[in-house]
Amino acid sequence: MEYNFRDIEKKWQQRWVEQKTYQVSEKSDRQKFYVLNMFPYPSGAGLHVGHPLGYIATDIYARFKRLQGFNVLNPMGYDAYGLPAEQYAIQTGQHPEVTTMQNINRYREQLDKIGFCFDWDREVRTCDPGYYHWTQWAFQKMFNSYYDNDLQKAQPIEQLISHLESKGTEGLNVAESESLVLTADEWNGMDEKQKSDTLMNYRIAFMGETMVNWCAGLGTVLANDEVVDGVSVRGGYPVEQKKMRQWCLRVSAYSQRLLDGLDTINWSDSIKETQRNWIGRSEGTEVEFQVADSDKHFTIFTTRADTMFGVTFMVLAPESELVKELTTPEQKAAVEEYVKYVAGRTERERQIDHKVTGVFSGSYAINPFTGEKNPIWISEYVLAGYGTGAIMAVPAHDSRDYAFAKHFNLPIIPLIEGCDVSEESYDAKEGIVCNSPREGVTPYIDFSLNGLTIKEAIAATKVYVKEHKLGRVKVNYRLRDAIFSRQRYWGEPFPVYYRNGIPTMMPEECLPIELPEVDKFLPTETGEPPLGNAVCWAWDEANRRIVDNKLIDNKTVFPIELYTMPGFAGSSAYYLRYMDPHNDKALVSEEADSYWQNVDLYVGGSEHATGHLIYSRFWNKFLFDLGISRKDEPFQKLINQGMIQGRSNFVYRIKDTNTFVSLGLSKGYDVTPIHVDVNIVSNDILDVEAFKAWRPEYNNAEFILEDGKYVCGWAIEKMSKSMFNVVNPDMIVEKFGADTLRMYEMFLGPVEQSKPWDTNGIDGCHRFLKKLWGFFFDREGNLQLADAEPTKDELRSIHKLIKKVTEDIENFSYNTSIAAFMICLNELGQLKSRNRQIMEQFVILMAPFTPHLSEELYEVLGHATSVCDAQWPSFNEDYLKEDSVKMMISFNGKARFPMEFPADADNASIEKAVMENPQTAKYMEGWVLNKIIIVPKKIVNVVLKK
RNA sequence: GCCGAAAUGGUGGAAUGGUAGACACGAGGGACUUAAAAUCCCUUGGGCAUAACGCCUGUGUGGGUUCGAGUCCCACUUUCGGUACCA
């Protein structure tokens, strides 16, 4: 009887739904296990074979854990807000909700065919009001919180307000945009608007006037991780820097906790390292510089405090507030022109050419160590957003300062003994300090670094600076606050209205504030975001509801925020929502949260390292501070599945003809390689007739064949429609079945590794499943199992498998456990085994990989319950013991011949047997025995000397 | 530039410091069949042999540690990710 995978898979998929096999509840005595995939954005193109890779890996682990007795949560949902749906809406007028729902349905259809054990009752969609209710809610909580640096924790804003009321900013150690100094009287004397503006300096969700990545092509601002190489990740439009009023999240407040938390979680070193770099902690010193002939002063940040004596000029960022202040009247025109030039440069231009540009401000700063007057320059190589936006330049020991000094002919003072700075700067942090101060120069201060190592010099300078109140030790982080508003339609609306220009939160009980309908998805004619097109988008404060715009009177009816939230808003806490997805009273109930805790295993691509995986950790830490989330870190273990690349095929057309020449013969011709649809190529052999039918222009194509076949070339490229190398999982399921697809995707190689999809090898897995089927049934369909007690050989074979598969699944080494299945089945085949007990264990071991087939065979074996509720077999070491062991005899490390010994042979008897073996004498000729090294069950190495 | 990962047959990939190339694909040969499909068996890193199934060589390159190195150490080359005027 044939292995009819179509009927089997259909039958079990139906039964799983009917019997709610995958429904889980937190009301369980069993230990919990939470596995999670990064939920997909449902794109219009549907799933290709690369998408399910991570889902299958997770599914196998989830099923394995369930068989081991855990109560496993394995949910799935959709990250449904996003740009592509909106772009499509702008082009076609189709509402993004309509296309999004279509795409979701298509995804679901495709996912259902692969046989996942998702609990679909827990599905979430970020665009669902019941879901984004809690996104809005969290935003309001962030608005109403500030970050206390002493407690390292978010606190209610009311506490800060009462502090300001009684003490002003005195004794305040909190995360802030800029450090303000206020007395209690000053605070109490402020009007409502001033107070609101001041609090924005402290709120965790705040409105700030900041430099943003403005993408004109998309008509919106973007977060740093959404910009790569100066262009937008989506669409590749140029991005420029622009100062705009935006909602921001004070992610930077959590920098240290985000850094420290990395040590407590089980993620790959490379991802942790990427996050550490992104957070970019740097310990340094802030030093005050007095401006010459003026009472003005400013602060710089440096990690090289040891180089104070080598400063020859100062540099300000062109966007710095200091520029205006320090420019002298004579230089005003030149500086203004330069600032204008820099403003006109896009991010991309700045990144591509590092041109040395700059202008002199006219002012000088007094070096507190040397007393020298250093000219203050303005240059784009200093960034406004990092440190203080001002630096001290030490051209001898910083390559950027060096290039600048060379270009503008500024002095260069070497500070390390023996370093040569005639051609380039000496950036290394090694050597002995000299010229600090220089010989022959009257010391300005009583302080010398000469003779110290750089490390010592940095430490000594820090102490000096602190003691003499010249500055302070400071830790800087590269991590920036996240820009949290987007000028788009298809996102979560802000639950905020403007009460006389003051951003005001709508009452918590009124959430969710639903996304209004608009007739156009483009910005309004006056340049407002798309929500400006909404007719019904005003807040009636008294009646606490949304009303028509026309009613706005700014007395009782006020305008509502037109911005929407960015993509990461909805994806930051979705793992909590899965625990309790239908709760309309809370993000997650205490009961569900304390049972499920956090995600034990998270699987997704490493491209989210500096985006989602930072935001999510931040968001979770905030909720942890609020007592909502139980764990400080949301994802305990992270596996980054590799990308599935495409394997493209090429045909070779001889130039200016319609003749195609096979790969092996193409060298003799002048040919153009042309991508050909991989679906009409099999094992690199082109289906010539299908090719002719593929495109009209190939109707009358001619071919030069080799051995009667047309062999195609191939290359590994990104999987994309334009390369004709997209392989769809539905087609594979249709042809080979879901179990084969699941198995083959895992057989391709380690989950974490990127690899090309090659349909060619799938036959091997399919054949294996057919073979397994053949173990149960003969040609006529009669069950051919024996009820006998298993033999020793059978037991050894299956227990070897149990051991291997159990260990491999724990290590996500799925490809090797599949190999083990194949080996075991071959062994059982050689033993002519049809033992019922053995096969039952085999079927259970296979269940995570091939759930449909395992269910069917489990039923055939006479079980009325699902194989999901079977018990994972445990192995017995006793069965693994062999009667005899084969060992390789080697001489001086070179393997020579094998010998067999009784399993319990001791070293002495092995040595004796080896030395008595006639072959040994041959290899020992001309040598003297030195020693014999015996590696149990592996090798006997006879070490010889002359 | 900096950080990270990797490099093994025609291909995907296996190898707690212990017979390198498991398992699979592909390829070649054979069996069954009128034929094809399906299935099964044999061979398959390279070279030299094939009278003697034996010898040599082989995991990016060059060194080192070790009785023994794909694996550990040092230097280099290449590839792929990430990141970048972050002071």
Side-chain angles (χ1 to χ4, degrees), chain A residues 289-298 312-314 316 326-328 330-331 360-367 371-377 410:
Chain A
F289 275 70
Q290 191 71 36
V291 179
D293 309 318
S294 150
D295 56 354
K296 287 172 189 147
H297 56 92
F298 62 94
T312 58
F313 58 101
M314 316 292 295
L316 307 178
L326 300 183
T327 301
T328 58
E330 303 84 67
Q331 289 296 102
F360 179 45
S361 70
S363 298
Y364 293 83
I366 298 168
N367 183 325
E372 287 165 338
K373 279 166 68 173
N374 299 129
I376 302 172
W377 286 70
L410 295 157

Side-chain angles (χ1 to χ4, degrees), chain A residues 209-240:
Chain A
E209 182 91 10
T210 49
M211 294 299 283
V212 296
N213 304 305
W214 173 254
C215 178
L218 294 169
T220 187
V221 302
L222 297 172
N224 283 345
D225 70 284
E226 292 169 321
V227 184
V228 171
D229 293 334
V231 299
S232 62
V233 173
R234 293 243 180 231
Y237 300 102
V239 172
E240 56 183 318

Side-chain angles (χ1 to χ4, degrees), chain A residues 57-114:
Chain A
T58 319
D59 198 66
I60 290 169
Y61 201 79
R63 289 174 181 275
F64 167 69
K65 279 285 165 189
R66 174 163 175 179
L67 287 165
Q68 283 196 326
F70 288 86
N71 186 26
V72 179
L73 176 57
N74 180 26
M76 183 45 92
Y78 305 97
D79 188 12
Y81 276 133
L83 275 176
E86 180 157 346
Q87 295 286 79
Y88 189 75
I90 291 168
Q91 285 158 23
T92 63
Q94 276 245 54
H95 197 289
E97 181 159 5
V98 174
T99 51
T100 302
M101 291 312 148
Q102 279 168 2
N103 294 345
I104 285 178
N105 291 338
R106 167 121 175 80
Y107 266 55
R108 177 65 190 273
E109 222 172 87
Q110 289 184 295
L111 289 172
D112 279 347
K113 286 186 184 157
I114 305 174

Side-chain angles (χ1 to χ4, degrees), chain A residues 84-242:
Chain A
E86 180 157 346
Q87 295 286 79
Y88 189 75
I90 291 168
Q91 285 158 23
T92 63
Q94 276 245 54
H95 197 289
E97 181 159 5
V98 174
T99 51
T100 302
M101 291 312 148
Q102 279 168 2
N103 294 345
I104 285 178
N105 291 338
R106 167 121 175 80
Y107 266 55
R108 177 65 190 273
E109 222 172 87
Q110 289 184 295
L111 289 172
D112 279 347
K113 286 186 184 157
I114 305 174
F116 293 115
C117 62
F118 298 131
D119 179 358
W120 282 107
D121 287 349
R122 291 174 182 263
E123 181 195 300
V124 301
R125 299 174 183 192
T126 54
C127 65
D128 181 350
Y131 179 88
Y132 65 69
H133 180 156
W134 303 103
T135 310
Q136 294 177 336
W137 173 85
F139 167 79
Q140 291 196 337
K141 290 285 176 202
M142 290 183 197
F143 180 84
N144 287 319
S145 302
Y146 71 103
Y147 193 83
D148 186 316
N149 284 336
D150 292 330
L151 299 174
Q152 282 287 304
K153 196 178 173 201
Q155 295 287 308
I157 197 80
E158 289 76 20
Q159 286 187 20
L160 180 80
I161 294 172
S162 59
H163 184 110
L164 290 170
E165 281 167 355
S166 58
K167 297 181 200 136
T169 54
E170 205 194 315
L172 214 52
N173 182 17
V174 297
E176 54 195 3
S177 304
E178 53 180 317
S179 67
L180 298 179
V181 179
L182 286 174
T183 63
D185 287 345
E186 280 172 321
W187 166 262
N188 292 323
M190 285 181 174
D191 66 21
E192 207 185 338
K193 172 89 172 90
Q194 286 167 324
K195 279 185 176 167
S196 162
D197 289 348
T198 306
L199 287 176
M200 288 301 180
N201 196 46
Y202 304 104
R203 294 183 191 275
I204 288 178
F206 63 100
M207 176 140 268
E209 182 91 10
T210 49
M211 294 299 283
V212 296
N213 304 305
W214 173 254
C215 178
L218 294 169
T220 187
V221 302
L222 297 172
N224 283 345
D225 70 284
E226 292 169 321
V227 184
V228 171
D229 293 334
V231 299
S232 62
V233 173
R234 293 243 180 231
Y237 300 102
V239 172
E240 56 183 318
Q241 295 293 299
K242 203 172 165 183

Side-chain angles (χ1 to χ4, degrees), chain A residues 314-326:
Chain A
M314 316 292 295
V315 189
L316 307 178
E319 300 87 359
S320 166
E321 308 274 317
L322 291 164
V323 169
K324 259 188 219 154
E325 257 182 78
L326 300 183

